[in-house]
Amino acid sequence: MKGTAKVLLVTALVVVVGLAFRVSWNALRDIASTVGADSTAALLYPFVVDGLMALALVATLVLTGPDRKFALRVLAGYTAASLVLNYVHGLVPALHAHAAGRLHLVDYGPANWALVLLATSLPVGSIFFGSDLVAKVLHHRPAPVTNEDQIISSTVNRLGSDLRESAPPTAPRPVDSPVPKSADPAPLPAPAVAAPSGPRRPTGPVPKVARTPRPTRTPDQLLTEARQATADWSDDALTGEAIRRAVHTSSANGRTLRDALRAERTAPTPLHLVDTDQHADSAAAR
């Protein structure tokens, strides 16, 4: 749909420009004949003025920065010149006859000289300004889009879509119950201060380089820490998950420590042998 609209818009623009060029044709041709151009030059004179206007318009759409301002000045200048010549053609009826020959454009001498200078300088200006505009268009290079600009643009677009998707539906506002006139109005709560948003947490696994180094403990060190942490625990509380949280280790190490501690608690107490002869001597001495 958008492509069709653009084609129709460009087609309409071409038609309007063509019709305007045809309307201005007679005036510029008659002016050229009056200032001394022959029939062939007078026939080509409208292309010199209105054609450069079209060229400047295209250059304005392509160029940027100071070059675009220059093209706009050329377009404005030749538009004003064409307007003046068409206006003079309408004021002097004798110019309407194509074979009128050399005539004064206006009765006032200095004004006539200025109009003749304007009409004769437009072809020279078309050569100069037209060549300059074409050179600027051919050497124009659009500004390259950097990776930073692409990242910023994609981030803004992604954040905008996330906000639209995550925005909760607006809940209906509850109707306030009428407050008795005798009751004092409740103090308004202090406005909540929004906490500063911190850096966005990573959504994927953290690479090993970015992880905080943690000292590695041996199995004996883990078992010693587990004994100290669970010394006053009951047998029912001695679970792998509880041990894992107490000593800050993995689930597998928590289960291994649980089995080791349970085995130590259920192991029979070793019996100490007593020397009977030494015991008898000590009894006799008493």
Side-chain angles (χ1 to χ4, degrees):
M1 186 61 182
K2 292 182 178 180
T4 305
K6 290 181 179 179
V7 172
L8 293 176
L9 185 61
V10 173
T11 304
L13 176 62
V14 172
V15 172
V16 171
V17 172
L19 295 177
F21 182 78
R22 179 61 186 88
V23 171
S24 179
W25 179 282
N26 291 337
L28 297 180
R29 182 196 59 187
D30 294 343
I31 291 291
S33 298
T34 303
V35 296
D38 58 9
S39 59
T40 303
L43 190 66
L44 298 176
Y45 188 81
F47 290 101
V48 174
V49 181
D50 294 342
L52 185 65
M53 291 168 54
L55 177 62
L57 178 60
V58 174
T60 302
L61 300 177
V62 175
L63 300 175
T64 58
D67 294 339
R68 184 173 183 271
K69 294 181 180 179
F70 173 76
L72 284 174
R73 293 190 183 99
V74 174
L75 176 60
Y78 268 72
T79 301
S82 179
L83 177 61
V84 170
L85 296 180
N86 278 269
Y87 177 70
V88 172
H89 182 267
L91 287 179
V92 183
L95 295 176
H96 299 175
H98 180 56
R102 297 293 298 272
L103 294 173
H104 285 282
L105 297 178
V106 290
D107 295 334
Y108 184 60
N112 182 69
W113 300 338
L115 290 174
V116 172
L117 178 62
L118 174 64
T120 54
S121 63
L122 289 178
V124 180
S126 296
I127 297 174
F128 175 77
F129 293 118
S131 303
D132 195 10
L133 288 175
V134 171
K136 291 180 183 299
V137 171
L138 294 179
H139 290 85
H140 175 69
R141 294 292 183 272
V145 180
T146 60
N147 294 331
E148 182 179 358
D149 296 336
Q150 295 178 352
I151 294 173
I152 293 175
S153 178
S154 61
T155 304
V156 171
N157 295 333
R158 179 169 52 81
L159 290 178
S161 60
D162 293 343
L163 290 176
R164 287 193 297 269
E165 293 177 359
S166 62
T170 305
R173 185 177 181 179
V175 179
D176 297 335
S177 58
V179 181
K181 294 183 179 180
S182 60
D184 296 334
L188 296 176
V193 180
S197 57
R200 188 174 179 180
R201 299 182 60 186
T203 56
V206 180
K208 294 182 178 181
V209 180
R211 295 178 182 175
T212 303
R214 179 179 296 177
T216 303
R217 293 170 291 181
T218 62
D220 293 337
Q221 293 175 346
L222 286 174
L223 184 58
T224 303
E225 293 182 10
R227 287 197 190 104
Q228 296 175 357
T230 61
D232 54 349
W233 290 12
S234 61
D235 293 341
D236 296 335
L238 201 64
T239 61
E241 182 65 19
I243 296 173
R244 183 189 70 79
R245 294 178 180 178
V247 299
H248 304 288
T249 185
S250 61
S251 300
N253 290 338
R255 292 190 294 270
T256 303
L257 294 173
R258 176 201 62 192
D259 297 339
L261 294 176
R262 287 184 177 179
E264 290 180 357
R265 293 191 178 188
T266 57
T269 304
L271 298 177
H272 299 281
L273 298 178
V274 180
D275 190 357
T276 54
D277 295 338
Q278 184 180 359
H279 181 69
D281 294 340
S282 61
R286 288 197 300 268

